[in-house]
Amino acid sequence: MDFRYVGSSGLKVSELCLGTMTFGNEADEVTSHALLDRYVEAGGNFIDTADVYNDGASEEIIGRWLARTSRDDVVVATKFFWSTGSGPNDNGAGRKHILAAVRDSLRRLRTDYIDLYQIHAFDEGTALEETLSTLDGLVRSGLVRHLGVSNYAAWQLQKSIDVARFRGWEPFVALQPLYNLLDREIEHELVPVSLNEGVGIIPWAPLRGGWLTGKYRRGMTSAPPGTRWEADKQPWLGDWDRSVDERTWSVTDTLLAVAAELGRTPAQVAVRWLLQRPGVTAPIIGARSVAQLDDNLGAVGWSLDDKSMELLTGAGDQPLPYPYGYLAGSPRRRER
C-alpha cells in the first residue's frame, strides 16, 4: 500500500483505512483481531472506529489488539458525538461531553493518545468556540494529535476552519463523509472546500453498504436474502424503494462491465475509483471476514485508466443544480 498525507498535516496514512464498525457485532473478537493482523500484514496502518460502535466494544477490541502490537506504528482514529448514556450531557460537542468522551475512548483503546479525533456530526446546540477551544486543548495536552469531522455540511466545515484560523486554534485536517459511485453530493461543495483548505477526505461506505460489490443486478425487485439491504438494514443510506432507479442500475451496469473487462471484482473497481478522485486520502473499508477484507485490499497496486474513470464517473453524473450548473460556464474556472 502507498501512503498519503492527511490533508495539509504531516500525518501519513495508508491509502486504505480499516473501518471497524463490524467489530463486536458481525465480527467477534477473534475475527476482528484476524482482520487487524491481515490489514497490517498488507501494509495498512490506519484504523477508524467510534465510541458508539457496538456500545464501545469496537474500541475495546482494538485496545486489546493494540496492547500486543507497536502502538506508534498504527494511526488510530475515533469519533465522538452520539449518545453514550442517558444523561443530558452524554452527547454532543460541548466541553463536558468532549472531555468525558476522550477519557473513555483512551481507556477503551488502552492508549495514552489518539492520532485523529473526529466529531461524528455537527452540534447545533453548542457554540463553535466552545467545541474548537476544547479540541485545541486536547491537542496541546498531547491526548490528541490531529482533528477531523464527519457528516458536516460545507458551511459548517468552512466556518469551523475560519474560526480556528482566526483564534489560532488547531485546524481540522480530515473530513469523513459519505462518498461512493452512487452518493456523490459532496462533489458540489465539500470537495472544493476540502481542496482549498487542505482537508483530507476519508470516505465512509465506499461500497454503499455492499451495493457496489456485484450482489445487486438490474431486474431485481428486492434485496437478496441475507444482504444488508434486506428489510432496510441500511437506514443511513435509505431503503430499497428510494434507492433503486435508472441511475442506480446505470452505475451498477457500468461497474460490472468495467470490472469484467479488467478482471477485477466490482468492489475493487469501486474503491479504486474513489482512490483516484480529487482530494481523497483513504476510503474506509469494512469487513466481516478475512476473505471480504482481501477482496477490498485488491483495490491497491494498480490504476484505472482515463477511459474507465470517465465511464464510471459519467454513469453517475447528474444535471448540476443551481448555482453549480450556472457557475460551470464561468470563463474564469481554474483547472485543478
Side-chain angles (χ1 to χ4, degrees), residues 175-236:
L175 167 70
Q176 191 176 128
L178 172 64
Y179 190 29
N180 54 59
L181 274 166
L182 285 165
D183 298 296
R184 293 174 50 188
E185 289 79 5
I186 73 164
E187 293 174 358
H188 296 320
E189 291 190 346
L190 279 165
V191 170
V193 169
S194 297
L195 290 171
N196 286 332
E197 298 292 352
V199 176
I201 300 172
I202 306 168
W204 62 268
L207 299 178
R208 204 168 197 271
W211 193 283
L212 300 172
T213 62
K215 297 176 184 176
Y216 305 90
R217 308 286 177 122
R218 184 184 290 273
M220 287 184 173
T221 57
S222 62
T227 61
R228 289 185 172 181
W229 283 87
E230 182 188 15
D232 302 332
K233 295 176 182 177
Q234 298 278 36
W236 57 91

Side-chain angles (χ1 to χ4, degrees), residues 273-296:
W273 177 84
L274 268 181
L275 278 165
Q276 294 178 216
R277 295 297 289 170
V280 170
T281 297
I284 300 173
I285 57 172
R288 290 174 284 178
S289 67
V290 174
Q292 283 186 341
L293 177 61
D294 280 338
D295 184 23
N296 290 338

Side-chain angles (χ1 to χ4, degrees), residues 123-136:
D123 185 350
E124 297 183 3
T126 301
L128 195 53
E129 287 79 3
E130 178 179 337
T131 297
L132 297 178
S133 64
T134 305
L135 293 173
D136 179 70

Side-chain angles (χ1 to χ4, degrees), residues 157-175:
L157 176 59
Q158 185 67 66
K159 184 174 181 179
S160 298
I161 291 169
D162 293 341
V163 171
R165 180 180 292 133
F166 178 75
R167 297 284 192 174
W169 292 333
E170 191 71 17
F172 290 134
V173 297
L175 167 70

Side-chain angles (χ1 to χ4, degrees), residues 8 67 79-80 133 135 139 162 179 201 204 251 305 334-335:
S8 60
K79 299 180 285 294
F80 73 92
S133 64
L135 293 173
V139 175
D162 293 341
Y179 190 29
I201 300 172
W204 62 268
V251 170
D305 59 24
R334 185 186 296 270
E335 296 298 329

